[in-house]
Amino acid sequence: MPELPEVETVLKGLKEVLIDRKIKNVQVLNEKSFFGFNAANKNRIIDQKIILLKRRGKIIIIILENKNYLLIHLKMTGQIIYRKGNYRFGAGHPNQSFINKMPDKTTRIIFTFDDRSKVFFNDQRKFGWIKLFNQKEYDNFSFLQRMGPEPLDPKFTYIDLKNRLFKKSNSILKAVLLDQSVLAGLGNIYVDESLWLAKLNPTLKVKELTDIQIKKLYKAIKSNLLLSIKEGGASDRNYININGQKGSFIKFAKVYKKENSPCARCKTTLIRIKVAGRGTRYCPKCQKIN
DNA sequence: CACTTGACCTGTCCGC
DNA sequence: TGCGGACAGGTCAAGT
């Protein structure tokens, strides 16, 4: 669910409101959601100013002025909701009825800032997390260290994609594309959509790919991610931006959740199988092997 | 080593 | 209407 375009949308929203804000209070409603934080080390974030926000893959990275880091991973059902401090019920918020309900039963952590605004970390299934790291812990965080290139980085070329993929040439294409150490930010939705666009069968082995196919895949990945960012992400069930609004990429989806519907290219009925343990949708005709 | 399965969780949907 | 089970999917750990 929250994959690169959704996390990028949340990041953009947070950048607009959190730069130079000081954290004044933190309420932890579910301890396991906040790794590395406890009553004794509260002072590492209280009264600290947020100086930088960025994204790496599906992770949001918040840097405090004392060089502590807050990392956020939304996993499947995580949400970041922002509410202005001067917000008054009924006062013109883009999604005020939703914001009015914060906190709700899925709220796990609440941050309050120096302008009395609040950030709610919601997560129905509790798989998501926020981690508090010092500089050393951040530098040693293996998940980030191992993470592959950003697919939208201008320096990322199709040759890079080819080289990354072929390190796992015996593996199944879909599994490799989901592997964050190969390429950062893709999840189930954008992998399936990109494979459809590139006319590639998800069960292909990487070593069976031709250069032309890799080039198509490269273009497909980038165009899907860019389109989705433009649309504010894909809201299947849980994903919303910091104002509680859904993204609209799903209406452009060609295969995701479209099993038993006709393929947009050839009208063949789309099918759903399981690949790498995940629900996988594709067109048996135009994504046929060979 | 590569691949699969289970664990982490909660809510929804489907069949009986 | 209730109830059990499958399913949703990001990542890690354990098993085959």
Side-chain angles (χ1 to χ4, degrees):
Chain A
M1 308 256 226
E3 305 175 30
L4 189 154
E6 292 75 33
V7 178
E8 181 67 20
T9 304
V10 169
L11 175 75
K12 277 186 195 165
L14 289 180
K15 273 184 172 176
E16 287 174 18
V17 294
L18 290 190
I19 291 286
D20 288 342
R21 292 270 64 80
K22 260 188 192 172
I23 300 171
K24 293 305 283 187
N25 192 28
V26 182
Q27 293 161 263
V28 181
L29 308 181
N30 183 59
E31 289 196 13
K32 289 173 102 174
S33 297
F34 203 165
F35 177 92
F37 176 83
N38 54 56
N41 65 17
K42 238 183 162 172
N43 62 326
R44 285 170 58 188
I45 58 177
I46 299 299
D47 281 328
Q48 288 301 316
K49 188 184 278 187
I50 291 173
I51 57 171
L52 190 65
L53 296 100
K54 56 185 183 178
R55 178 188 61 74
R56 184 77 174 92
K58 301 169 189 171
I59 294 182
I60 289 172
I61 300 165
I62 298 174
I63 304 171
L64 306 177
E65 62 181 332
N66 65 355
K67 300 295 177 198
N68 275 286
Y69 292 75
L70 290 170
L71 273 59
I72 306 174
H73 199 310
L74 300 173
K75 293 287 180 87
M76 269 83 72
T77 57
Q79 302 172 332
I80 300 288
I81 305 297
Y82 177 78
R83 190 174 73 194
K84 282 182 186 161
N86 62 1
Y87 175 73
R88 292 169 58 103
F89 294 87
H93 192 282
N95 197 352
Q96 81 192 36
S97 62
F98 178 83
I99 299 290
N100 277 350
K101 291 180 189 143
M102 291 301 120
D104 68 16
K105 64 181 172 182
T106 71
T107 302
R108 309 302 178 197
I109 304 171
I110 307 172
F111 293 87
T112 305
F113 298 94
D114 53 353
D115 62 353
R116 301 177 63 205
S117 62
K118 288 182 189 289
V119 161
F120 300 85
F121 175 68
N122 296 346
D123 187 18
Q124 177 195 114
R125 291 174 70 182
K126 300 181 183 171
F127 290 172
W129 43 250
I130 300 183
K131 292 181 195 273
L132 171 60
F133 282 159
N134 61 28
Q135 185 71 53
K136 192 179 174 189
E137 290 166 329
Y138 175 77
D139 291 339
N140 291 334
F141 185 36
S142 69
F143 184 63
L144 273 181
Q145 281 184 328
R146 289 184 286 111
M147 193 175 284
E150 287 291 328
L152 295 179
D153 184 335
K155 285 176 286 195
F156 175 67
T157 65
Y158 110 91
I159 299 291
D160 295 328
L161 177 63
K162 179 179 173 181
N163 291 339
R164 305 291 305 183
L165 291 177
F166 272 80
K167 286 184 177 173
K168 305 213 170 205
S169 62
N170 279 316
S171 302
I172 302 221
L173 178 58
K174 170 154 181 172
V176 175
L177 291 172
L178 287 169
D179 184 340
Q180 302 297 297
S181 72
V182 173
L183 189 61
L186 297 184
N188 209 36
I189 297 176
Y190 299 103
V191 168
D192 279 6
E193 290 300 320
S194 300
L195 289 171
W196 180 87
L197 196 52
K199 298 188 184 177
L200 294 174
N201 188 288
T203 67
L204 278 173
K205 288 207 167 188
V206 167
K207 64 182 173 194
E208 296 166 331
L209 292 173
T210 66
D211 280 8
I212 289 172
Q213 289 176 318
I214 294 171
K215 195 150 200 169
K216 279 186 183 169
L217 178 60
Y218 170 82
K219 288 182 177 172
I221 289 169
K222 292 184 55 141
S223 68
N224 272 323
L225 293 177
L226 285 170
L227 173 61
S228 187
I229 289 171
K230 191 172 152 225
E231 295 297 323
S235 292
D236 177 26
R237 348 182 47 148
N238 290 280
Y239 169 72
I240 47 180
N241 70 15
I242 69 164
N243 295 314
Q245 298 158 312
K246 296 185 175 202
S248 51
F249 176 78
I250 287 291
K251 71 184 180 206
F252 296 94
K254 305 295 197 231
V255 288
Y256 185 69
K257 291 268 175 92
K258 294 212 182 287
E259 57 268 36
N260 304 322
S261 300
C263 172
R265 265 190 309 245
C266 73
K267 310 301 177 207
T268 303
T269 302
L270 300 175
I271 59 174
R272 178 185 188 278
I273 59 171
K274 198 160 246 203
V275 181
R278 309 274 170 64
T280 300
R281 290 88 171 177
Y282 72 105
C283 174
K285 188 176 173 197
C286 49
Q287 289 172 269
K288 201 173 171 178
I289 295 185
N290 81 52

